Amino acid sequence: MVRFEAWLLKGLLGLMWALPIWMSSLTPQFCTSLETLKDQLNLTLRRRYLKHNFPINYTIEVRYEEVFRLNNISKLMNDSADVRDLQDLWVRITETDIKRILEVLPERHPTRRKYLANLDSLFAIVQQSYQSQNSDERDYPESIENIWVRLGDRDYQGWKSVRPKSLLDTCYRTMHCLFKECFLRNGSQYDYCNIQHWRQAKGTQG
Ligand SMILES: *[C@@H]1O[C@H](CO)[C@@H](O)[C@H](O)[C@H]1NC(C)=O
Ligand SMILES: *[C@@H]1O[C@H](CO)[C@@H](O)[C@H](O)[C@H]1NC(C)=O
Ligand SMILES: *[C@@H]1O[C@H](CO)[C@@H](O)[C@H](O)[C@H]1NC(C)=O
Ligand SMILES: *[C@@H]1O[C@H](CO)[C@@H](O)[C@H](O)[C@H]1NC(C)=O
Ligand SMILES: *[C@@H]1O[C@H](CO)[C@@H](O)[C@H](O)[C@H]1NC(C)=O
C-alpha cells in the first residue's frame, strides 16, 4: 500500500513536471483586472491619447530595458528565463512605462486627465492582484537579474527615445503573450507571442 502511494505520488509529481510551462497560476481576479486594463489599451484609445494628443513624432527618453518587445521574450526564453520571470518583468516595466509618459504630461493635459490617470489606477489593481499571488522570493537567471539591475541603475547611461504610443503598443502585445491564459476564449488559439499574429491583426487590434 505504502509502495503504491509512493508510486502514485511519484506519478503525480512526474505529471506536474510535464504540465506545459504556460500553465501558471493566474487567478480569475487577476485575469479580470488585466482584461479591464486591456480594454483601456485598445488601439482606438492608444491612437487617440498617445499619438493624436501629442506633437507629431514626439518622443520621450527611456532606458533601453524599458522597451520590452516580443523579440525580447523569445530571446530571454532562449536564455533560460521562464514565463514567471518574464511576467514579473512585464509588471515592473509596464509600471515604469506608464510613469514615464505621465512624467512629461502637464497636470491639465487631456491625455493625463481623460486617459492615463485612469490607466495608472487600473494598472495598480493589476499589480496588486499579481503581487498577492506571486509574493514568493525568487532567484532570477542571470539574464533577467541583469535587466533588474539596469532598471534600477541611478547612473544609467545612454537613454533611448521612443514614442509614447509605441511604448504601450509593445506592453499590449507582450501582455497578450505572457498572460495568454487570460485571453484565450472559446478555444481560440491565437499565437500572441508571434509577431506575425500582430502584423495580420494590424488595424483591428494593433
Ligand atoms: C476601444 O474602447 C473604446 C471605449 O471603451 C470603444 O469606444 C472603442 O470602440 C474600442 N475600440 C476597439 C477597436 O475595440
Ligand atoms: C516624423 O517621422 C517620420 C519618419 O520617422 C518622418 O518621415 C516625418 O517627416 C516626421 N515628421 C515631422 C513633422 O517631423
Ligand atoms: C529588448 O531588446 C532590445 C534590443 O535588443 C534591448 O535594447 C532591450 O534592453 C531589451 N529589453 C529587455 C527588457 O530585455
Ligand atoms: C539561443 O541560444 C543559443 C545558445 O544559448 C544561441 O546559439 C542561439 O543563437 C540562440 N537563439 C536565439 C534565437 O536567440
Ligand atoms: C465567445 O464567447 C463569448 C462569451 O464568453 C460569446 O459572447 C461569443 O459569441 C463567443 N464567440 C465565438 C466566436 O464563439
Side-chain angles (χ1 to χ4, degrees):
M1 193 61 200
V2 171
R3 271 184 67 171
F4 173 72
E5 277 171 5
W7 173 83
L8 189 67
L9 189 65
K10 237 166 121 180
L12 281 175
L13 287 175
L15 208 62
M16 276 160 66
W17 267 127
L19 284 177
I21 195 161
W22 293 105
M23 298 271 287
S24 60
S25 53
L26 303 174
T27 62
Q29 291 90 320
F30 172 79
C31 284
T32 305
S33 66
L34 203 62
E35 187 87 21
T36 311
L37 185 76
K38 184 202 84 170
D39 290 344
Q40 280 300 302
L41 275 174
N42 82 21
L43 186 59
T44 316
L45 299 175
R46 268 181 284 142
R47 274 206 190 114
R48 181 183 309 155
Y49 290 111
L50 300 168
K51 185 171 178 191
H52 298 159
N53 272 0
F54 283 90
I56 294 174
N57 292 352
Y58 182 84
T59 58
I60 58 179
E61 304 279 290
V62 301
R63 289 180 165 91
Y64 277 84
E65 291 75 21
E66 287 160 8
V67 177
F68 188 29
R69 299 174 182 282
L70 292 175
N71 272 344
N72 293 107
I73 293 180
S74 42
K75 222 189 280 172
L76 289 165
M77 294 275 268
N78 186 32
D79 202 357
S80 61
D82 66 22
V83 174
R84 172 62 202 288
D85 298 330
L86 297 167
Q87 289 172 337
D88 287 6
L89 206 53
W90 183 89
V91 171
R92 164 69 189 269
I93 291 174
T94 302
E95 178 189 19
T96 312
D97 287 348
I98 293 174
K99 298 269 185 281
R100 290 264 178 242
I101 306 173
L102 276 172
E103 273 168 15
V104 302
L105 292 174
E107 273 313 311
R108 302 175 65 93
H109 194 283
T111 290
R112 173 190 286 273
R113 283 191 299 117
K114 296 190 183 157
Y115 187 61
L116 262 191
N118 180 43
L119 200 71
D120 194 34
S121 319
L122 293 176
F123 180 74
I125 299 171
V126 169
Q127 194 174 23
Q128 255 170 27
S129 176
Y130 183 78
Q131 280 160 1
S132 69
Q133 60 178 309
N134 294 306
S135 55
D136 50 317
E137 284 284 318
R138 287 167 57 81
D139 287 328
Y140 294 111
E142 199 183 333
S143 54
I144 297 287
E145 194 59 50
N146 288 341
I147 294 172
W148 282 105
V149 169
R150 285 198 292 274
L151 285 171
D153 182 0
R154 288 168 175 278
D155 299 318
Y156 193 88
Q157 308 281 328
W159 298 69
K160 181 182 172 64
S161 300
V162 293
R163 298 179 192 191
K165 174 169 171 293
S166 142
L167 217 44
L168 293 194
D169 289 347
T170 54
C171 281
Y172 185 81
R173 293 175 180 194
T174 46
M175 168 179 77
H176 279 80
C177 170
L178 293 172
F179 300 98
K180 56 172 90 172
E181 291 158 77
C182 294
F183 301 114
L184 293 177
R185 283 290 153 72
N186 309 357
S188 65
Q189 289 296 326
Y190 297 123
D191 190 359
Y192 294 125
C193 297
N194 187 341
I195 187 74
Q196 223 46 47
H197 166 76
W198 299 99
R199 296 232 166 95
Q200 281 155 13
K202 217 171 183 181
T204 53
Q205 310 182 45

